[in-house]
Amino acid sequence: MGFEIARRMGLEGACLAIIDIDEAALSNALQTLSADGIDVKSYHLDVTNPEEVAKTFALLIEHFSGKLDILVNNAGIADFGSVDNTESAAWDKVIAVNLTGTYLCSKSAIPAMKKAGGTIINFGSVAGLVGIPNMAAYCASKAAVIGLTKQMAVDYISQGIRVNCICPGMIADTDMGRQILGTDLSDEASKKRLSKYPIGRFGTPEEIASAVLFLASDEAGFVCGSAFTVDGGMTAL
Ligand code: 1HS
């Protein structure tokens, strides 16, 4: 999803800073986006490391001459387990990436955004709105991101910074989608999961990217503090 969001933003004329902890994925994304004629710079970063986040954002904000218009907090991981069989280390890792990473990157971006306004799109999930079996840490982290989004929205809208979050349903053609669904979409587990989607299919990265671009655009000027579901009706049930 992050790559597709970056690609669409770049094609709309955005100058990009892309961040990833996976060096190979980052290199591939940089090469592909650059080949598309997009102005992009890449930064290898673990968003759970406060010092590294501050250092990286200082560098990228300097690269953009002190200006930062849009932050998309897309870094996220999933884990499986109910509360009674989730190891605390696994719990901490999911919270660190999904929630604390969002906090740390936003903390580093906001001072630059205050200068001329901006917008932040966090990544919640349907898992932050409804319970998903066997995904305790993931649901908790995403519900917290939704809560943090609403809190940030009320803190910063008066300073010209609009904050919203995207709440995707299952997006099959992603690393996380494959992690959750496995490789066989025709198996009973995947069919049961699909039955939760009134639209009758899972979503695509392109559909998430379209929603992110809308929220980042002036067309969404009155959208503030929203948990913007892109889920094929899954949470409408
Ligand atoms: C990307 C998204 O946050 C995944 S949540 C999947 C929920 S479900 O389809 O497994 O019920």
Side-chain angles (χ1 to χ4, degrees):
M1 281 190 277
F3 173 78
E4 184 58 20
I5 293 165
R7 189 183 73 85
R8 292 279 301 280
M9 290 266 188
L11 293 176
E12 292 288 330
C15 299
L16 305 180
I18 57 173
I19 293 172
D20 203 323
I21 194 169
D22 180 331
E23 291 189 273
L26 190 64
S27 174
N28 290 338
L30 178 67
Q31 188 175 0
T32 305
L33 295 170
S34 301
D36 285 346
I38 293 169
D39 181 347
V40 53
K41 193 167 173 60
S42 64
Y43 299 85
H44 176 247
L45 173 64
D46 173 358
V47 297
T48 69
N49 183 317
E51 293 75 23
E52 289 305 313
V53 170
K55 193 186 306 179
T56 299
F57 271 77
L59 284 173
L60 71 87
I61 289 167
E62 182 185 7
H63 172 70
F64 290 126
S65 306
K67 200 168 180 304
L68 189 59
D69 301 308
I70 302 167
L71 169 64
V72 180
N73 285 309
N74 173 245
I77 60 172
D79 190 34
F80 302 102
S82 299
V83 162
D84 67 325
N85 59 27
T86 295
E87 295 302 320
S88 56
W91 171 275
D92 290 348
K93 179 73 174 171
V94 172
I95 299 295
V97 175
N98 297 0
L99 177 61
T100 308
T102 295
Y103 149 70
L104 289 173
C105 292
S106 300
K107 176 180 170 71
S108 288
I110 284 167
M113 285 191 171
K114 281 182 177 179
K115 293 175 185 172
T119 185
I120 297 174
I121 294 104
N122 295 327
F123 262 71
S125 166
V126 295
L129 297 168
V130 296
I132 308 299
N134 202 40
M135 295 188 80
Y138 187 69
C139 286
S141 72
K142 292 302 186 177
V145 167
I146 292 167
L148 178 62
T149 296
K150 293 177 184 293
Q151 192 286 325
M152 289 168 67
V154 299
D155 264 359
Y156 295 112
I157 191 60
S158 61
Q159 301 176 70
I161 302 171
R162 251 178 344 99
V163 185
N164 291 288
C165 68
I166 291 277
C167 292
M170 177 62 73
I171 309 300
D173 187 19
T174 58
D175 291 342
M176 184 177 291
R178 286 182 282 273
Q179 179 190 3
I180 296 173
L181 290 170
T183 53
D184 180 6
L185 296 189
S186 65
D187 65 12
E188 284 312 307
S190 296
K191 285 179 181 173
K192 185 179 178 186
R193 214 175 279 271
L194 184 58
S195 68
K196 297 196 293 187
Y197 291 78
I199 199 169
R201 64 174 175 84
F202 296 131
T204 66
E206 292 78 8
E207 290 169 322
I208 300 302
S210 295
V212 171
L213 264 71
F214 165 69
L215 287 178
S217 74
D218 292 340
E219 281 68 32
F222 201 55
V223 183
C224 180
S226 73
F228 197 95
T229 55
V230 187
D231 68 355
M234 188 263 199
T235 55
L237 284 174

